[in-house]
Amino acid sequence: MNKKTWIGIVAVVVVIISAAIVWRVFLPGSDGSTKELRVLAWVGYEEDDFVSAFTKDTGIRVKIRTAAGGDAVMALFTANPDEFDVVILDPEYIQKLAPAGRIRPLDPTDYSWDGYPDAVRNHPAIRVDGKLYGIPLRFGSNGLVFNTKHISREEANSYEVLWSDKVKGRIGIWDWYLPSMGVISLLAGNRETPYRLNDAELQNVVDRLKTLRPRVRSIHASPRDMLAALAAGDTWIVPAGGEWVAGLLRADGHPIDWTVPKEGGIMWMETALIPAKAERINLATQFIRWVQSPRGQALLATRRAYYGVPCNAHAIPLLSAEVQDVLHIHSKDDLLQLFRKLRTRELPQNQPPEKWQDIWEQFKAQTLK
């Protein structure tokens, strides 16, 4: 070979070796592999600005698969138990997954708690038998979301507004039994334990649902459908809605607000779990810590899929005044006050979930007895 050929070969080898070094430096797995981090989450986590910010800050490439609804995320995880390194899921599912050995216990010292109020950090739903299994990322309200052109804040101060003549035929319902039945359970008098009902208390919820159903205009299969109906003015009020619905609509100029009625609200929360079969533990921990940071929390608060309240109070100053107004959160004290107004969403405790799900299907089909 001539000299130019040898120089060309050497140059190619140098480029290949350099690329391999960069790949390993910026995409390290806990096992030294170069595979990307795999995350299963609610919709919103896959949005480009969120993913690109994480990769820019950490050098870690991430592949995110999403679903709408805790049951849907749970079903994907159940069907693919060894596919993901992080699962973003509602804490009520921790109580099923941890005893079954499906998720790893976490070392609290591996994570960043600066800015987390003690009430959030020590939430009982993220622990089983004293062990930590979930890292809270954001939370929000299942209360009432309403059109301010037609409904006043005073009228929205009770779920009883759903039975007023004004809103008949203008009610939207989110097609997920847990939050929607939860707020009706609060109205039925179960203010402290809306998911821990005896059979008589559950029947009271059924009776309320039975009279509500003829007043409903639409049952929305997804949050996107709910947003579209409220934006168009087809529906004026949705129980189990909150800041996560109002945020996007307000940003687009629609007269939508939300409240936690006097009967209380149901808390939704997203927590980060590490599956028992996860391979890239180091990457998973880095991802969770980044989402816990003020920057990650501020970005997470304003996803185009839906808004949410950051768990880290240090993120609040990073939010615009408009976003703080939509969230009704301007300080750590506001965050704590909202947190304490809400009852934890749980799976049904005294009946199998399938019984509640069957009631919900009867509600949708208008066949409740």
Side-chain angles (χ1 to χ4, degrees), residues 37 54 85-88 103-116 121 126-127 131-137 271-275 278 280-294 297 312:
L37 179 68
F54 168 70
D85 303 302
V86 178
V87 175
I88 311 297
I103 53 178
R104 291 174 177 266
L106 306 176
D107 183 345
T109 63
D110 287 341
Y111 301 93
S112 176
W113 301 102
D114 185 34
Y116 271 64
R121 177 177 179 173
I126 63 176
R127 288 174 171 78
K131 294 181 180 179
L132 179 69
Y133 284 91
I135 306 299
L137 300 181
T271 57
L273 321 176
I274 298 183
R280 286 158 285 275
I281 308 303
N282 180 46
L283 291 186
T285 303
Q286 289 183 64
F287 175 79
I288 296 169
R289 285 179 60 88
W290 181 86
V291 181
Q292 286 185 286
S293 72
Q297 290 275 285
N312 185 340

Side-chain angles (χ1 to χ4, degrees), residues 81-293:
D82 56 354
E83 185 175 329
F84 306 104
D85 303 302
V86 178
V87 175
I88 311 297
L89 192 55
D90 316 77
E92 55 262 36
Y93 297 95
I94 291 174
Q95 310 307 310
K96 294 182 67 175
L97 292 169
R102 301 279 305 283
I103 53 178
R104 291 174 177 266
L106 306 176
D107 183 345
T109 63
D110 287 341
Y111 301 93
S112 176
W113 301 102
D114 185 34
Y116 271 64
D118 288 344
V120 179
R121 177 177 179 173
N122 298 322
H123 196 283
I126 63 176
R127 288 174 171 78
V128 175
D129 296 333
K131 294 181 180 179
L132 179 69
Y133 284 91
I135 306 299
L137 300 181
R138 63 174 170 170
F139 74 96
S141 309
N142 295 133
L144 280 175
V145 63
F146 58 97
N147 187 312
T148 58
K149 287 177 61 176
H150 303 287
I151 301 164
S152 69
R153 178 166 286 275
E154 291 74 21
E155 290 171 317
N157 192 42
S158 173
Y159 296 107
E160 292 287 2
V161 69
L162 299 169
W163 282 265
S164 69
D165 291 340
K166 176 188 284 191
V167 303
K168 185 175 182 179
R170 294 291 183 177
I171 300 170
I173 298 289
W174 183 22
D175 187 10
W176 188 15
Y177 80 100
L178 274 180
S180 297
M181 290 181 68
V183 296
I184 300 303
S185 179
L186 290 170
L187 174 62
N190 309 302
R191 304 290 173 83
E192 296 301 320
T193 54
Y195 296 98
R196 297 170 183 261
L197 310 183
N198 60 38
D199 288 346
E201 290 167 335
L202 180 58
Q203 185 58 48
N204 289 338
V205 174
V206 171
D207 292 341
R208 280 287 192 169
L209 289 170
K210 193 185 309 181
T211 61
L212 177 62
R213 184 63 181 89
R215 312 177 64 80
V216 172
R217 182 184 184 95
S218 304
I219 296 178
H220 305 299
S222 70
R224 181 176 297 177
D225 295 340
M226 189 192 316
L227 292 168
L230 284 163
D234 295 334
T235 58
W236 295 352
I237 191 166
V238 179
E243 70 294 302
W244 57 280
V245 181
L248 291 171
L249 294 171
R250 285 267 291 276
D252 291 339
H254 298 289
I256 302 296
D257 204 354
W258 66 278
T259 190
V260 177
K262 63 183 181 181
E263 296 90 356
I266 300 295
M267 179 190 298
W268 64 265
M269 180 184 282
E270 292 166 357
T271 57
L273 321 176
I274 298 183
K277 295 185 178 182
E279 298 176 355
R280 286 158 285 275
I281 308 303
N282 180 46
L283 291 186
T285 303
Q286 289 183 64
F287 175 79
I288 296 169
R289 285 179 60 88
W290 181 86
V291 181
Q292 286 185 286
S293 72

Side-chain angles (χ1 to χ4, degrees), residues 153 250 257-258 320-330:
R153 178 166 286 275
R250 285 267 291 276
D257 204 354
W258 66 278
S320 69
E322 292 77 13
V323 169
Q324 291 183 31
D325 287 343
V326 167
L327 297 178
H328 301 174
I329 298 292
H330 301 87

Side-chain angles (χ1 to χ4, degrees), residues 15-31:
V15 168
I16 292 172
I17 292 173
S18 299
I21 291 172
V22 170
W23 182 263
R24 185 169 292 274
V25 167
F26 287 101
L27 300 176
S30 62
D31 56 359

